[in-house]
Amino acid sequence: MQAALAEAEAAAAADEVPIGAVIVHENRIIARAHNQRETLQDPTAHAEIIALTQAAAFLGTWRLTGCTMYVTLEPCPMCAGALVLARIDRLVYGPADPKAGACRTLYRITEDARLNHRPQVVAGFMEEGCRAILQEFFARKRSAGKNDPAE
């Protein structure tokens, strides 16, 4: 999760919502990414999606069995669905996302028995550190009088 937090810091430095993700396979980080929606002007450029693409390229397969994703915020519906479709074994995330959380908060996509894969989910890992970077980012935005890009 420390590597995911470093990615979140890189996102904040680029004025992106500070969410970072890494994917680990056989005890080695094979993908690392942060949000780049503003930079790329791409609504799908979430940290999780970019990391999934990198991991698939690294492994040479879209099936990410044997992989764990660490992400600094509970994934949204798009990202949770992509994790299921990628067959990732395990998801570890920081705080819940009350606005878009799709693993346990608003939806339970990663636990839905109607889908053909259900990753193991660990919620609340290093929650305070992950939450702090988000709170600092949005406090800075509010004090600068800018609109909240997450709204």
Side-chain angles (χ1 to χ4, degrees):
M1 188 63 90
Q2 289 296 340
L5 279 166
E7 287 295 323
E9 292 284 352
D15 206 28
E16 295 276 358
V17 174
I19 298 172
V22 298
I23 297 178
V24 174
H25 181 261
E26 296 180 353
N27 297 314
R28 185 168 130 206
I29 294 175
I30 62 167
R32 58 179 73 230
H34 57 270
N35 274 6
Q36 294 186 58
R37 291 189 311 169
E38 299 300 327
T39 302
L40 300 176
Q41 290 299 299
D42 179 352
T44 68
H46 290 205
E48 300 95 323
I49 300 297
I50 296 167
L52 287 170
T53 300
Q54 290 174 359
F58 180 86
L59 294 174
T61 180
W62 61 268
R63 290 177 185 88
L64 301 182
T65 55
C67 292
T68 298
M69 175 179 281
Y70 294 86
V71 63
T72 59
L73 184 67
E74 179 182 9
C76 72
M78 174 181 69
C79 295
L83 290 164
V84 169
L85 294 174
R87 314 290 198 275
I88 203 145
D89 282 354
R90 190 168 178 241
L91 166 66
V92 179
Y93 66 84
D97 182 353
K99 289 186 177 184
C103 298
R104 300 237 168 110
T105 304
L106 297 179
Y107 305 99
R108 292 181 169 265
I109 292 171
T110 54
E111 298 174 2
D112 194 322
R114 295 169 295 181
L115 300 174
N116 65 342
H117 178 73
R118 285 173 295 288
Q120 175 190 7
V121 175
V122 177
F125 187 74
M126 294 181 60
E127 185 171 358
E128 292 309 313
C130 295
R131 179 180 288 117
I133 189 172
L134 286 160
Q135 289 174 335
E136 290 166 13
F137 176 81
F138 288 115
R140 243 185 351 264
K141 287 287 192 188
R142 285 189 295 277
S143 71
K146 296 182 180 179
N147 291 333
D148 179 348
E151 293 184 342

